[in-house]
Amino acid sequence: MSLKVVPQAIEIRNNKIEFDNLLFFIVDSNSSVKIEPLIGYDAIIIDSKDAEFAKLILKKIRGHYNPEFYLKPVFLINYKESKDPILHSLNDGFIHSYDQLKEIADVAKQIFLKTTQLDYQLVATFEAQMMKKVLNFMFTRDLKTLKPIPDLNSVIGYTYPAISVNFDSSEETQVLEILEWGEREGLVWPDFHERIYLCNQCSGGFLSYREVCPHCNSSNSSAQDLVHHFPCAYIGPLSDFQNNVDNALTCPKCNKALRHIGVDYDKPSIIHHCNNCDKNFQDFFVKAKCISCTQDVEVQYLIPKAINVYKLTKRGRTAASNGFLSTGKEVEDIFGTLTMAVFKTMLHYEIERIKENPEQQKSSIVIVNIENIFELYKKVGKKAEKTILESIVNLIRENVRPTDFIAFENSSTMYLGLINSDALQSEATLENLKTLIEKLIKNNFNDFSANINFKVKLLQPFNKSEFQLQELTKDLFD
Amino acid sequence: MRFLDEFINYVSSVDAAKLFRMFWFFFIFEFFRFFLVEISTIIFWKFDSIFRKKGIADARLTLMKSQPLVSIIVPGRNEGKHIFKLVNSLKEQTYQNFELIVIDDGSDDDTPIICRNLEHLGMISAFYRNDVRGGKASAANLGLRYARGEFVIHFDADCSYDRDAIENILVPFYYNPKIGAVGGNVQVRNYKDSLCATLQALEYMDTISIGRITTSELGIYRVISGAFGAFRKEALDRLGGWDIGPGLDGDITVKIRKLGYIIHFEPTAVCQTSVPVTFKKLIRQRLRWDKSLIRFRLRKHRDVFYPNDSFKFSNFISFVENVTYNLILNVKWFFYLADMVFNFASQLIFIIPMNICLYTVNNFMKFLVFSPFRDRKNEGITYFLIYLPLMVFYFGYFLRIVRTTAYIQEIFFKASYKDNWNPAKSSRQAKIMKI
Ligand SMILES: [Zn+2]
Ligand SMILES: [Zn+2]
Ligand SMILES: [Zn+2]
């Protein structure tokens, strides 16, 4: 019987299967490439007959910033062993037929169980967010190591699928930066695997090494041994001693046959002849031509990087479930802002102040969150993070009073204390600021549209500052 | 004072015949060869130069018009520290169409680093290095192998060159096409460093400048100095370059002469060198030089004494002159010494001061007479005048003893094969071939 056997209990309708209290959705090449509609399903089965399509969908799911997507159990059917690292490493299993639904349903449940143990506390920086995402994924899948996989599509020649899926293959060097950060934070431990050298222009790792002529940079040269005939002191390239007839070597100066190396002749060095400029040289340059940007780099200027197998540390293992405090130093020393600790102290004094005359004195606290700012950091690189935050702070400072105070919770979230400003006034100020910040980012970063949310609350005279901030945060994210 | 009176009495009692009997060595050999022959040749040369003037001017014009490529080769070992200075001074040369090839014969200092850098900066056309030392000849030959010029000029790294030195050393090739090699005028740069250096400066002025004008004119010019010599590349190629040293400068000169070329000395092509400043170092240098006389004149090139194919009368004369005035006279001088001791023993107390006076007077005369012929003076003649009396001792005794020692060592012990001048591998081969 050549028909596909589908047991009675399993019914596929509109690509949906209900099984064991789980709702599966089957993505095949007729499905939409949009993944947002998938949010309502417990698990996804991708038909990977068309491997490219399957890869595209899987990359979209795992690369999504929302844990609802990136942690979703994804299985493959009709999967043929693939060398593609994403398809190979980021699925949760594969089946040959729908008979095996039971197996994958168990896997999916296991993942859900783990997912409930995760901590979703916000983290301070882009690296921390990326790392948290990877740790969440690893935790729910019981993965212990991040292994580099050789990959021709990656500019550095290697890929770490769980992180790399968040980046274009041309941004692979950012993956290394994140892992280095994780190493510094003690979340992962490096085991040396390989050393690579990267182009100093574009960080590309596909380099073609050649010996080039020091005079004209051409690689079109040939090398010969120099031969020194002791008795007559003649010295010249080996070809001077050769003839067309036999293998004998005869000195062109004294016509004697060379007999025994070390006794009557030796080879004191090697000489290169450039076929391009016709010059002779001994000290060739070794240059690396970058295949990506075609730049010719002298090897001493290449950037060396270690490719490591990263193992989770104890801290790393618990970080996914318990959350972790990154040092957050990046956002602490931005000019014009306070640290969170000082911010809370100031808030405490402000509460004491308004207590004296609660009817007359009104101040507000505000939380501002730029939801997709990590997308922007990903685009422009880690180095721009501080510059972006500083220009945002500058902009805010220009539009609030000098007595108002600002603090970053992390690089996507900040708090403002607006003194002598009631809820209405503050709301207006924030609407204005929101427009200004959006415009600033749009103008500077290639039409990137920032998703800015804010929440304003009047400062209460009889509640603790700590509690009021928590309330505010909850309001914004709920 | 008594001695002075007696001495004057003694001198006045000596008649011409007796004077000749007492100083036959001086009159027959030295006065004749190093005064009469030289002065007459120099006078002739100066007179003749009036007629050469136009030819030389034409030659210079042809040279500057045709701008042949010249390969300057600088072989050396641990000479890196001098190369930068040399490269810079070459920028000053009036003749610029040259390539500079530096050959490093297995240096064990930072020479390779310095020279690679200069090569990359384009200040040296090519730098070739043998990691394994091969001797000065092989280093020069390596430079020659990759030289592309029509002429090859051999430099020493620690010398410096007048700004028209390259131009002037090339002009003779265009004056007379038979000229195959031209020697430059080597002067002492550090003549003020020590007494030893001053005496050598006087010696160079005499034997090298004046002496070489004479030998060049007479066609018996022997050694083109390695510090500054120019060659037709074609001539060097026919010879396969230099043979293993020591004395390779003299050797290559003889071989080029044997090819039928004229060897020319060019007094206006001036190069300055640093000479040993201590007598100890000077002795070592001269022992090496003098040994090469025996080795190359008498062993390797003994064929010039035989009338065979390559026989040339001037080659023969050049050799005879060289051998006579160096080797034989050295022996003769001891005969003379013996003659004096045995026959004039009682009068030695007067003869020795007389001898010294005679040579000193001769030296002063020579110095003053030749001064106008010198193309360039190191310093006002006055600087050297006070040192002239010492030349008797320097020339007459010091150099003579060193030379004799060298000859004895070489003739009886073939000492030069043991010199660390060449690596052992080359010396062993040379000894087998009896060169
Ligand atoms: Zn040979
Ligand atoms: Zn080239
Ligand atoms: Zn590149």
Side-chain angles (χ1 to χ4, degrees):
Chain A
M1 208 157 65
S2 63
L3 282 172
K4 193 156 60 181
V5 182
V6 178
Q8 289 300 311
I10 296 166
E11 194 182 344
I12 303 175
R13 190 177 297 153
N14 294 334
N15 282 22
K16 291 174 213 162
I17 310 177
E18 238 189 297
F19 182 86
D20 207 2
N21 289 329
L22 297 174
L23 190 57
F24 290 85
F25 187 83
I26 301 165
V27 177
D28 59 28
S29 39
N30 298 321
S31 309
S32 154
V33 292
K34 281 215 160 70
I35 61 162
E36 278 69 21
L38 302 178
I39 193 147
Y41 298 91
D42 298 313
I44 311 294
I45 299 171
I46 304 176
D47 185 341
S48 51
K49 219 178 272 159
D50 181 349
E52 279 306 303
F53 178 77
K55 183 188 157 185
L56 178 76
I57 299 296
L58 187 59
K59 188 172 159 66
K60 275 192 166 185
I61 293 172
R62 296 288 185 242
H64 205 279
Y65 64 90
N66 186 342
E68 289 279 355
F69 287 103
Y70 73 76
L71 290 179
K72 202 173 278 301
V74 178
F75 305 95
L76 303 176
I77 190 163
N78 296 325
Y79 172 69
K80 285 192 279 305
E81 190 60 35
S82 163
K83 272 202 174 140
D84 181 80
I86 287 177
L87 218 48
H88 184 266
S89 314
L90 298 182
N91 66 63
D92 290 307
F94 44 86
I95 52 174
H96 303 292
S97 78
Y98 293 101
D99 299 342
Q100 297 169 287
L101 272 183
K102 176 83 184 96
E103 293 165 28
I104 59 173
D106 289 346
V107 174
K109 280 178 179 162
Q110 197 58 40
I111 292 171
F112 292 144
L113 195 68
K114 286 270 189 179
T115 307
T116 56
Q117 300 169 33
L118 287 176
D119 163 84
Y120 290 106
Q121 202 181 302
L122 276 173
V123 288
T125 61
F126 172 56
E127 288 95 338
Q129 208 207 0
M130 275 298 157
M131 203 66 213
K132 185 68 171 43
K133 189 182 165 188
V134 173
L135 293 176
N136 285 348
F137 184 76
M138 292 174 78
F139 178 81
T140 51
R141 269 72 181 170
D142 251 342
L143 302 173
K144 301 278 185 289
T145 55
L146 284 164
K147 286 199 190 98
I149 297 176
D151 181 15
L152 281 175
N153 291 317
S154 153
V155 278
I156 62 169
Y158 285 93
T159 181
Y160 294 87
I163 309 185
S164 304
V165 72
N166 299 298
F167 296 92
D168 279 353
S169 57
S170 61
E171 302 167 331
E172 198 71 37
T173 42
Q174 288 204 47
V175 172
L176 294 185
E177 280 171 24
I178 286 163
L179 285 166
E180 283 161 13
W181 179 88
E183 184 186 328
R184 283 197 300 274
E185 292 283 328
L187 300 167
V188 287
W189 182 258
D191 257 348
F192 181 83
H193 174 69
E194 184 59 282
R195 183 164 301 285
I196 56 164
Y197 290 88
L198 303 179
C199 168
N200 64 352
Q201 281 277 300
C202 73
S203 298
F206 288 115
L207 302 163
S208 157
Y209 295 90
R210 304 100 73 242
E211 296 168 357
V212 301
C213 168
H215 303 285
C216 72
N217 280 330
S218 164
S219 51
N220 181 10
S221 66
S222 43
Q224 276 198 62
D225 280 327
L226 273 181
V227 176
H228 173 200
H229 191 218
F230 302 152
C232 71
Y234 184 82
I235 185 164
L238 185 64
S239 55
D240 285 4
F241 293 80
Q242 287 167 327
N243 62 58
N244 297 326
V245 187
D246 54 24
N247 289 327
L249 297 174
T250 314
C251 175
K253 176 171 173 181
C254 66
N255 278 322
K256 287 207 180 83
L258 304 193
R259 289 178 296 125
H260 195 121
I261 191 157
V263 176
D264 60 332
Y265 74 98
D266 67 358
K267 295 177 174 178
S269 57
I270 289 173
I271 200 143
H272 301 253
H273 177 78
C274 174
N275 299 320
N276 185 48
C277 71
D278 225 29
K279 290 207 165 106
N280 297 289
F281 56 91
Q282 286 181 304
D283 188 29
F284 48 78
F285 284 166
V286 176
K287 280 199 167 180
K289 190 164 211 137
C290 175
I291 306 296
S292 320
C293 74
T294 72
Q295 217 224 164
D296 218 354
V297 196
E298 282 178 38
V299 286
Q300 70 258 39
Y301 299 122
L302 292 174
I303 305 161
K305 286 269 186 200
I307 293 293
N308 302 309
V309 174
Y310 287 94
K311 287 189 187 134
L312 283 186
T313 61
K314 200 172 173 189
R315 184 170 147 87
R317 275 201 300 277
T318 54
S321 52
N322 299 348
F324 65 97
L325 282 173
S326 109
T327 52
K329 280 208 177 76
E330 289 88 342
V331 293
E332 268 191 359
D333 57 349
I334 289 173
F335 186 77
T337 66
L338 310 172
T339 62
M340 272 318 285
V342 177
F343 185 90
K344 283 169 189 164
T345 315
M346 298 285 285
L347 217 52
H348 174 73
Y349 292 141
E350 184 57 18
I351 291 168
E352 293 300 313
R353 192 181 72 89
I354 58 173
K355 253 185 208 165
E356 292 163 10
N357 191 355
E359 293 310 307
Q360 295 298 309
Q361 296 178 341
K362 292 190 192 306
S363 293
S364 312
I365 47 170
V366 183
I367 182 170
V368 181
N369 171 255
I370 308 176
E371 199 180 65
N372 57 351
I373 197 161
F374 290 123
E375 298 289 310
L376 179 62
Y377 297 154
K378 208 176 91 178
K379 269 207 177 108
V380 296
K382 172 68 190 161
K383 277 153 218 140
E385 179 174 327
K386 206 176 161 189
T387 322
I388 295 173
L389 293 179
E390 272 170 350
S391 19
I392 293 174
V393 168
N394 269 336
L395 190 67
I396 297 172
R397 276 258 155 255
E398 282 166 20
N399 289 281
V400 297
R401 277 170 289 199
T403 47
D404 298 339
F405 43 90
I406 309 168
F408 276 102
E409 165 75 21
N410 58 50
S411 55
S412 68
T413 311
M414 69 178 100
Y415 292 102
L416 274 67
L418 302 178
I419 312 302
N420 289 330
S421 165
D422 64 25
L424 228 62
Q425 288 170 311
S426 299
E427 198 78 37
T429 310
L430 259 294
E431 271 308 332
N432 179 35
L433 277 176
K434 181 182 167 180
T435 323
L436 287 173
I437 295 171
E438 278 169 356
K439 210 189 267 173
L440 173 85
I441 292 175
K442 197 174 213 108
N443 290 343
N444 283 292
F445 301 105
N446 234 348
D447 273 354
F448 184 87
S449 56
N451 253 337
I452 302 176
N453 303 305
F454 65 89
K455 202 86 199 169
V456 177
K457 255 189 166 185
L458 203 61
L459 199 58
Q460 303 298 315
F462 302 106
N463 279 337
K464 280 194 163 174
S465 63
E466 198 78 26
F467 176 75
Q468 295 195 46
L469 283 177
Q470 273 176 25
E471 287 285 295
L472 184 68
T473 311
K474 230 177 113 194
D475 276 4
L476 180 75
F477 290 111
D478 287 346
Chain B
M1 276 298 116
R2 268 237 353 260
F3 175 78
L4 203 64
D5 289 339
E6 280 176 28
F7 179 66
I8 292 168
N9 278 335
Y10 180 82
V11 172
S12 49
S13 74
V14 173
D15 60 8
K18 194 171 176 201
L19 190 72
F20 186 80
R21 173 64 187 85
M22 280 193 297
F23 297 110
W24 56 268
F25 188 82
F26 172 77
F27 285 111
I28 294 175
F29 299 108
E30 299 188 308
F31 184 70
F32 170 72
R33 166 65 182 82
F34 294 114
F35 190 78
L36 289 182
V37 171
E38 281 189 357
I39 189 78
S40 42
T41 315
I42 292 273
I43 290 169
F44 173 77
W45 171 76
K46 204 68 189 169
F47 181 70
D48 185 46
S49 71
I50 301 165
F51 301 99
R52 286 197 309 260
K53 221 172 199 153
K54 171 126 189 9
I56 288 171
D58 287 349
R60 189 178 302 274
L61 207 67
T62 320
L63 166 73
M64 292 315 256
K65 254 194 207 151
S66 52
Q67 290 282 316
L69 179 66
V70 177
S71 302
I72 297 174
I73 60 174
V74 192
R77 183 162 190 272
N78 295 344
E79 301 275 20
K81 50 194 178 292
H82 301 299
I83 297 289
F84 185 70
K85 237 168 37 192
L86 179 70
V87 164
N88 269 322
S89 74
L90 283 178
K91 287 187 190 148
E92 293 293 307
Q93 285 294 322
T94 54
Y95 191 85
Q96 282 290 333
N97 191 25
F98 59 78
E99 55 171 6
L100 180 63
I101 302 174
V102 178
I103 308 98
D104 172 12
D105 190 25
S107 290
D108 49 17
D109 63 357
D110 51 7
T111 297
I113 301 165
I114 297 171
C115 292
R116 290 283 179 232
N117 263 313
L118 292 172
E119 187 190 20
H120 294 161
L121 292 171
M123 295 170 86
I124 294 178
S125 314
F127 175 69
Y128 300 117
R129 167 178 165 81
N130 285 331
D131 299 325
V132 189
R133 190 176 158 222
K136 189 147 188 170
S138 72
N141 286 339
L142 180 55
L144 175 64
R145 175 60 183 74
Y146 290 104
R148 294 175 302 135
E150 193 177 326
F151 301 99
V152 171
I153 304 185
H154 187 291
F155 268 22
D156 267 357
D158 61 349
C159 291
S160 51
Y161 298 82
D162 275 14
R163 56 190 310 277
D164 55 2
I166 295 180
E167 180 183 332
N168 286 345
I169 208 166
L170 292 172
V171 166
F173 291 112
Y174 286 81
Y175 178 72
N176 182 352
K178 280 187 177 161
I179 290 177
V182 180
N185 191 352
V186 181
Q187 298 185 349
V188 174
R189 175 174 46 202
N190 59 336
Y191 63 96
K192 275 182 173 171
D193 282 3
S194 69
L195 177 66
C196 180
T198 307
L199 293 177
Q200 286 174 81
L202 272 167
E203 180 200 358
Y204 274 60
M205 284 158 87
D206 188 44
T207 58
I208 300 195
S209 299
I210 298 297
R212 284 182 179 173
I213 292 175
T214 312
T215 50
S216 173
E217 274 302 291
L218 297 175
I220 56 174
Y221 176 28
R222 285 187 305 263
V223 183
I224 288 183
S225 164
F228 195 22
F231 306 87
R232 282 187 197 277
K233 173 134 189 302
E234 170 209 63
L236 291 178
D237 284 344
R238 277 170 68 188
L239 297 172
W242 285 264
D243 287 356
I244 50 181
L248 62 160
D249 300 331
D251 178 58
I252 195 85
T253 314
V254 172
K255 282 165 75 184
I256 290 172
R257 195 194 295 285
K258 280 183 185 170
L259 288 179
Y261 286 107
I262 292 172
I263 311 295
H264 179 80
F265 174 75
E266 186 48 56
T268 63
V270 175
C271 143
Q272 301 215 334
T273 188
S274 291
V275 295
V277 287
T278 65
F279 284 102
K280 200 176 154 196
K281 279 185 187 156
L282 177 64
I283 290 170
R284 246 204 324 236
Q285 180 199 51
R286 292 306 164 94
L287 282 177
R288 204 175 65 222
W289 287 5
D290 290 329
K291 280 174 200 167
S292 71
L293 174 89
I294 304 296
R295 182 154 162 193
F296 286 96
R297 303 295 142 173
L298 297 184
R299 289 213 187 100
K300 192 171 171 192
H301 294 291
R302 53 191 173 275
D303 62 332
V304 296
F305 296 108
Y306 315 140
N308 58 17
D309 285 352
S310 75
F311 184 82
K312 280 230 162 48
F313 193 66
S314 68
N315 288 350
F316 179 73
I317 295 290
S318 169
F319 262 63
V320 167
E321 194 265 353
N322 186 214
V323 170
T324 309
Y325 276 90
N326 285 294
L327 179 63
I328 298 182
L329 275 199
N330 225 41
V331 178
K332 267 263 163 75
W333 186 79
F334 287 97
F335 276 114
Y336 170 74
L337 201 64
D339 176 30
M340 288 298 111
V341 171
F342 288 118
N343 299 322
F344 295 88
S346 60
Q347 295 162 38
L348 270 183
I349 190 166
F350 298 120
I351 289 176
I352 291 170
M354 245 179 110
N355 180 301
I356 292 168
C357 289
L358 198 64
Y359 276 98
T360 306
V361 168
N362 179 53
N363 282 342
F364 272 108
M365 259 167 64
K366 254 179 98 172
F367 189 77
L368 294 175
V369 169
F370 288 147
S371 283
F373 297 106
R374 288 204 179 86
D375 187 63
R376 195 180 111 163
K377 292 128 197 122
N378 268 338
E379 174 103 0
I381 318 171
T382 44
Y383 179 86
F384 291 101
L385 278 179
I386 55 164
Y387 294 101
L388 272 174
L390 292 175
M391 289 305 280
V392 188
F393 302 101
Y394 178 72
F395 257 132
Y397 299 95
F398 174 73
L399 286 185
R400 192 163 266 144
I401 289 165
V402 171
R403 202 178 299 140
T404 309
T405 313
Y407 294 166
I408 291 170
Q409 284 183 351
E410 187 64 22
I411 290 174
F412 297 108
F413 305 108
K414 292 194 179 178
S416 75
Y417 297 105
K418 291 182 207 117
D419 270 359
N420 57 5
W421 167 257
N422 274 319
K425 59 186 184 188
S426 294
S427 295
R428 199 162 47 236
Q429 287 295 326
K431 200 165 180 176
I432 293 168
M433 304 192 333
K434 293 196 176 58
I435 54 171

